Amino acid sequence: MKILVPIKQVPDTATQVKIGADPKGIDTTGITWIVSPYDEYAVEEALRIKEKRGQGEVVAVTLGSERAKEALRSCLAMGADRALHLSDPAWENADTLTVARALAAVIKQEAPQLVLFGRQAIDDDMGAMPAQVAELLGWPCASWIMEETISDDGKSVRAGRQVEGALDIFNIPLPCVLSAQKGLNEPRYPTLKGIMGAKKKEIKDVKAADLGLAADGAQLLVVALEALPPRPPGRVIPGEPAEAVKELVRSLREDAKAI
Amino acid sequence: MKIELTDEQQMIQALARDFAEKEVKPIAAQLDAEARFPHETVKRMGELGLMGIAVPETYGGSGADTVAYVLALEEIAKVCASHAVIMSVNNSLYCDPVLKYGTEEQRKKFLAPFASGQQIGCFALTEPQAGSDATNQHTLAVGDGDGYVLNGRKVFVTNGREASAALVFGQTDPAKAHHGISAFLVEKGTPGFLVPKVEDKLGIRASDTAEFVFEECRVPAANRLGAEGMGFKIAMSALDGGRIGIAAQALGIAAGALELSLAYAKERKSFGVPIAQHQMVQWMLADMATAIDAARLLIWRAAALKDGGRPFGLDASMAKLFASEMAMKVTTDAIQVHGGYGYIKEYQVERYFRSVRERNDGRA
Amino acid sequence: MVGAFWCIVEDDRAGRPKKVTGEVLGEATRLARQLGGQVEAVWLTDKASEEGLKQLAEWGAARVWLLEDPALGPYRGEVWTPPLAELAAKYGVQAIFGAVTARQRELLARLAARLGVGLSADSVSFSVQDGKLVATRPVYAGKLLSKVTWSKPPWLATLRPNVFKPEDPKAGATPQVERPSVAIPQGTMTLAERKEEVSTGLPELTEADIVVSGGRGMKGPENFVILEELAKVIGAAVGASRAAVDAGWRPHRFQIGQTGRTISPKLYLGFGISGAIQHLAGMRTSKIIVAVNKDPEAPIFKIADYGIVGDLFEVVPLLAQEFKRLLEK
């Protein structure tokens, strides 16, 4: 079974992101870049499917700058078999839909049985990519999955998607798109052997023309990034616990009207 | 001149940092308090390939290099000196000499399971009356048919209780002084190989330091590492590599103490501002950071020379000497930055202080 | 002429629209006042109800497009998207708004791809600039805000629950219900089973007006019971920090923060939570933040409206008692 895992390189979760000189983007100096955490669940799940079935191929894909190759190498070190790097001036300033179109095109070429995404990239937090790619391919999709089992014949998957208050278990014919929610698995660390072996694996460069795509204008335009409005200064309520609690409840009721 | 880590080295560093932060840091203080050997995490370090980093894959290792080894070791030592010591002894003092001097048979039996971390090795050189003076070996290894009979005592053996094999040094020809020393790979459970004592230590308490006694312990000739009389050379070569490891541990301990100090100085307030804004504290932190980086560069140079197959003994000695003294000073200053809290276990920095006392022994 | 503002109905799967739909209709109504256009609800369901339709009218829907079909029973993007896209194109709508819920965050994304337009997911405010709609949405887990606009209509957006206000209900409003004739595909995926989460008897985390949350300071899973007791008194949901979830004390669905849920309750009370940047990202849009921590330097105090420096094991039971006394009055 061939499984394709689109991933994205994002700033580490502990990063204090700052607005850049161009206020439409962030200041990238000093940032530690990582594979978006949800994407790691997707890579892990793909590797587990391959290991469980005893055969198959896991292909990691990303669209991004030269630096994004690091993220692909991390996936190769975890155990992905090869990687595709989509990089082209046509995709500079790409919005979600442009990226979705590029991914859908590369998926058509690769023709995997399963596409596994992370539920969202933790930079723009749009969370739209899995569903958009599925739509462009005309495939079924289940987002935020917490469990999955591929049928023995490899023709369908039983996947549990997290919804409010429940887990909806769907039977879905392959090919399909799934997106991983935290809790699906615990991603492995790459091993040193995996890291040393990653450089022997292929990272293929893919241009827009290779996919028969031309530049398309972004549909969603970023006007500017803004810092959060500061919260009004708070106060620490002094005193013995019993008194402090009384005063807190009074304030919540009378001043804040929060209860 | 170019100081740039390869992609692989950076990834190994990131992996070690990630593993250390998530898996080791949360348990480090408690392991130290209980002086408990971390079997579970050491096993996982083996699975990741951290126990035989520079050993080729054919012999169960990771096929990386010494630079990758010191990068990983620093990250582990940053959160727990005990894990770092366990890792460093297995890598530098056990696997390295077995790889370098072992026969193909010996590498299969005494290297592959150790480089892959399924088993742990140790290095038994020091004797009670001699300190680390390798020329002064009282342990006797007397040839007897197709083997040797060992008699003697070894002390301060790191990993001694947990190891399943030891690299042991003994005199096969006392008349030749240090040219009469030979090295042996001795399996635990060999009759006459006793571990009578495990030390209770000031620091690095989760790693076990044991005493060995050999009483009429019979070792097959096939377990002799290198030729008869080569023991001293093997020990010196292992210790050269070992110094890089010790230096990297000291570096990691100091870097960890600095991280704690920085975090504390940014949070702790006096006179209405975080103490990090006081010039005295700033100078102290700047000195700590500079000394740490200087040690790092010495260590990287020694490691790079070793990887390049060039002489590195002097560089390793300098790196070890500087890093050990630097770590003493940095951890002392770290306590100072923490003020009274530096003395309190909850603030962790005292563990770093205790961890470096051992590193300051000897300038061999 | 400005096209309609469509609001997709989120229901409880039993014929009743959820409160968040009132919020979405409310915001659409305010925007339509500035931009022109009519606010309409679009309800895809296998089971509508008269009361539900009436509720939508009271919330301000001038018209309700009702697509009622057994195939729409469980939400499936491949089934819901085509008819919705077909109608949106046919009627030249100006905007399509949904809520940030499991169904709609996926539905609106698919719809945007099918229509070839932009989507502002997880929007927290809107403004009108030069006759164009501008949405504000948190990025980097809420560490920054991004202002976005669309290159062409329909403007698609999902709105974060608990952030927007419903309009005052128009009592007695009757809905104008349209049942358009449109093909609904049968779909290829099938719902095999619904595993309901064991009910805590407490509200859902992202929908709750009040959230109490515990962190590493809770010291163990068994201690969350004191938070649950407090939560019962004030009708709150119980959440947790990543530290508590990663330690295995609470299931992941209760995690608040960058790799968990983002919440905006009216009142957030954090106990034994230091306030790591990842956690703050998930709750800093709460209206009132209360923090209880024994460490006066805990970063959470920097964004808290009210703080108590003290032992949560002392404070929580006292708080439960005090709230009980207040609410019994």
Side-chain angles (χ1 to χ4, degrees), chain C residues 213-242:
Chain C
S213 176
R216 204 192 294 277
M218 295 303 297
K219 298 207 164 114
E222 66 282 1
N223 295 327
F224 271 83
V225 70
I226 64 170
L227 292 190
E228 279 160 13
E229 277 161 12
L230 171 63
K232 271 180 207 142
V233 175
I234 52 179
V238 176
S241 73
R242 185 166 106 181

Side-chain angles (χ1 to χ4, degrees), chain A residues 3 5 39-52 58 78 114 116-117 145-150 178 180 183-188:
Chain A
I3 306 168
V5 187
D39 298 346
E40 286 193 341
Y41 302 122
V43 175
E44 176 65 34
E45 199 65 15
L47 295 173
R48 287 186 191 191
I49 291 170
K50 179 185 158 182
E51 285 159 6
K52 197 169 155 195
V58 176
M78 276 178 82
L114 180 63
L116 256 167
F117 279 90
I145 63 155
M146 296 288 286
E147 56 182 56
E148 63 73 29
T149 320
I150 307 270
L178 301 177
L184 176 62
N185 55 45
E186 196 52 54
R188 68 195 66 189

Side-chain angles (χ1 to χ4, degrees), chain B residues 16 19 48 54 140 144 172 204 236 280 282 296 302 314 336 338:
Chain B
F19 179 79
L48 292 177
L140 291 179
D144 178 29
T172 41
I204 319 196
M236 288 305 104
M280 267 292 288
Q282 286 175 353
R296 191 177 282 124
L314 184 62
Q336 197 69 31
H338 279 72

Side-chain angles (χ1 to χ4, degrees), chain A residues 187-206:
Chain A
R188 68 195 66 189
Y189 294 96
T191 64
L192 268 69
K193 264 184 214 167
I195 291 171
M196 297 309 289
K199 71 177 154 192
K200 295 177 206 120
K201 294 178 180 171
E202 184 196 18
I203 299 181
K204 190 175 148 197
D205 284 309
V206 180

Side-chain angles (χ1 to χ4, degrees), chain C residues 6 81-91 111 114-115 181-183:
Chain C
W6 277 9
T81 311
L84 197 49
E86 191 186 320
L87 292 174
K90 183 173 170 189
Y91 293 102
L111 193 58
R114 196 171 181 99
L115 295 171
S181 157
V182 59

Side-chain angles (χ1 to χ4, degrees), chain B residues 33-84:
Chain B
E34 295 171 7
R36 184 158 48 83
F37 187 89
H39 290 103
E40 187 54 34
T41 31
V42 169
K43 185 170 156 254
R44 295 200 56 196
M45 282 165 66
E47 289 160 2
L48 292 177
L50 291 168
M51 296 302 275
I53 293 178
V55 175
E57 278 190 49
T58 354
Y59 302 116
S62 299
D65 53 22
T66 316
V67 171
Y69 165 61
V70 299
L71 293 170
L73 196 51
E74 177 186 343
E75 295 303 329
I76 302 291
K78 256 188 207 170
V79 302
C80 178
S82 295
H83 278 85

